[in-house]
Amino acid sequence: MSELLDLVTEPSGHVATVAAWTDRYTHAVMDTFGPPQRVLVRGDGCYVWDADGKRYLDLLAGIAVNALGHAHPTLTAAISAQLGTLGHVSNFFGTPTQIALAETLLRLAQAPEGSRVFLTNSGTEAVEAAFKMTRRVRPGGQVGRVLALEGAFHGRSLGALALTAKAAYREPFEPLPGGVEHVAFGDTAALDEAFSPAAVAERGPVAALVVEPIQGEAGVRPLPPGYLAHARRLTSDAGALLILDEVQTGMGRTGAWFAYQHPEVGGGVMPDVVTLAKGLGGGFPVGAVIAFGERAATLLGRGQHGTTFGGNPVAAAAALATIGVIERDGLLAHVRTVGALLREEIELSGSPLVREVRGRGLLWAVVLNRPVAAQVAAAALEAGLVVNPVAPDAIRLAPPLILTADQARVAAQFFATLTVPTEPEETP
């Protein structure tokens, strides 16, 4: 520990401030994210502290990652115990935690016999694996089209980026893997056209449709009711895969293990593939691909895919501990209750700047009447709240699943203070 302290202490021996850390950051860390808003040094439950000692209520949870908040004793004990027993073995070998995690995910997903799990390090890696699976679907002997939705965000690695819709993310890295079409968000008529005989004759068959039940990065936009059921019928009729990206919405974030399991969201559908990450490890990097049924589970054969760290026993232990706490503490019901309270309190806050609150569970967007989300997020940080301006007119809230009712009311009280600015500024 003393060696670590030497590395994170100012050469003078003084305790570094946020400003000092930020200066060091800008000279050492690649500038892909811009300067950090704050430099955080510790966390406890739903709170984090910066290097100046200021406390913040974390309403973002590392972008929907820290399901159990910070420094949860069960999670830290599980990670420590596993690392002290067996840390990494490669995928030439299996481990009990890897196997138990795969079995647990199949149970939570209520996956049928023949289903299988591929463990990854992250969400984008899970999407990459799912994307490769679509190349193994050969309707009519052809490599089929892969459909995704306008507004979609599936990651920033090249395959996942091809599925991501935002031009600013895509264009600097084109050409991207081909065969991807983006159709209008939530528009069943547009989906019908993409699967129509005319479209198949002109552009080829459809191999897969990839969708998020709630688009997180696009401003927490839920798919309209009935959309996934319609998509299931079309994909089944075409022999195409229905792939649900639940990287952000999975593992209890919406008050169910998976968003599609809400009847009003999924309509009882069973997908072919689900991708997971973020909250799965409670802050430890781990992702997964669940393939439903024998057909999807055998699309990637031996030697056709791999990963060095996926299935790492420490990551698997973290995921098992996270799932165990969610089950033990009844956090799915808690998320539904506190999430509804959070939404209601913000809606009743009376702020003229708040237009609506949309989302589910503990994944919400506070939609503003003006494109001033960046200003609002900056004001929240000054007030001791961590939020995310996910769109020019939307603030994303994705707090730990352990958020209390009192903490939800604190968040709502902040929105009650918002007034309509006279000179709005757009989010950079």
Side-chain angles (χ1 to χ4, degrees):
M1 180 60 78
S2 61
E3 293 83 357
L4 176 61
L5 290 175
D6 288 343
L7 289 172
V8 301
T9 303
E10 285 276 84
S12 64
H14 295 146
V15 176
T17 63
V18 168
W21 277 119
T22 301
D23 182 66
R24 291 171 63 177
Y25 181 105
T26 57
H27 289 87
V29 180
M30 193 176 290
D31 189 23
T32 57
F33 299 105
Q37 298 177 50
R38 298 287 189 276
V39 176
L40 304 177
V41 295
R42 70 182 179 94
D44 185 7
C46 291
Y47 294 100
V48 291
W49 283 260
D50 70 19
D52 292 341
K54 181 175 178 177
R55 190 184 76 165
Y56 304 84
L57 178 60
D58 186 0
L59 298 170
L60 188 58
I63 312 181
V65 166
N66 301 310
L68 306 182
H70 300 272
H72 193 285
T74 303
L75 181 58
T76 55
I79 292 171
S80 298
Q82 183 60 49
L83 192 57
T85 304
L86 189 66
H88 182 75
V89 297
S90 87
N91 280 303
F92 295 133
F93 305 91
T95 65
T97 51
Q98 173 199 42
I99 297 164
L101 176 58
E103 292 173 340
T104 300
L105 291 175
L106 293 175
R107 172 176 63 84
L108 299 179
Q110 300 178 307
E113 184 67 27
S115 303
R116 298 287 187 274
V117 173
F118 182 85
L119 295 173
T120 69
N121 309 296
S122 68
T124 195
E125 190 187 351
V127 171
E128 289 288 337
F131 194 12
K132 286 182 70 174
M133 293 168 74
T134 72
R135 296 298 201 228
R136 300 285 296 160
V137 178
R138 301 292 176 92
Q142 303 178 55
V143 175
R145 290 175 288 145
V146 179
L147 306 180
L149 301 190
E150 293 177 355
F153 181 85
H154 297 290
R156 297 173 191 259
S157 53
L158 285 182
L161 189 58
L163 299 169
T164 294
K166 192 171 183 178
Y169 294 161
R170 296 167 52 88
E171 290 174 352
F173 304 100
E174 292 176 342
L176 298 170
V180 177
E181 293 181 10
H182 287 91
V183 298
F185 173 81
D187 186 339
T188 54
L191 204 55
D192 288 338
E193 190 284 328
F195 280 89
S196 68
V200 171
E202 179 185 356
R203 309 196 294 274
V206 176
L209 168 66
V210 185
V211 296
E212 304 157 271
I214 300 174
Q215 288 189 339
E217 297 296 317
V220 190
R221 294 199 301 171
L223 283 170
Y227 185 90
L228 284 182
H230 191 78
R232 177 70 284 180
R233 287 192 292 273
L234 290 173
T235 50
S236 294
D237 291 347
L241 300 177
L242 176 59
I243 299 175
L244 300 186
D245 183 339
E246 294 246 19
V247 167
Q248 187 160 158
T249 54
M251 306 318 298
R253 172 57 53 189
T254 68
W257 284 113
F258 309 99
Y260 78 86
Q261 291 177 330
H262 291 287
E264 60 275 29
V265 175
V269 305
M270 179 176 291
D272 297 299
V273 178
V274 169
T275 58
L276 297 171
K278 290 196 179 290
L280 177 58
F284 202 95
V286 56
V289 179
I290 304 175
F292 290 67
E294 195 75 35
R295 179 200 180 208
T298 56
L299 286 170
L300 295 178
R302 294 177 182 176
Q304 293 181 329
H305 198 54
T307 172
T308 294
F309 295 105
N312 173 281
V314 182
L320 286 169
T322 302
I323 293 168
V325 172
I326 292 173
E327 289 188 314
R328 183 195 70 191
D329 295 349
L331 290 182
L332 296 183
H334 177 81
V335 165
R336 295 192 294 272
T337 301
V338 176
L341 172 70
L342 179 61
R343 175 180 187 164
E344 181 180 4
E345 292 279 334
I346 295 173
E347 287 177 334
L348 294 174
S349 67
S351 169
L353 192 56
V354 176
R355 188 173 77 220
E356 67 169 319
V357 184
R358 67 187 177 211
R360 182 176 289 274
L362 281 174
L363 178 62
W364 298 105
V366 181
V367 184
L368 309 173
N369 287 318
R370 303 283 184 87
V372 292
Q375 294 168 277
V376 171
L381 200 61
E382 287 300 312
L385 304 176
V386 177
V387 301
N388 171 232
V390 70
D393 64 345
I395 296 290
R396 175 170 50 183
L397 305 178
L401 307 187
I402 60 171
L403 187 79
T404 68
D406 286 343
Q407 290 166 338
R409 292 189 180 95
V410 168
Q413 287 164 8
F414 166 76
F415 287 98
T417 67
L418 297 179
T419 57
V420 177
T422 54
E423 295 183 2
E425 296 179 6
E426 294 192 3
T427 304

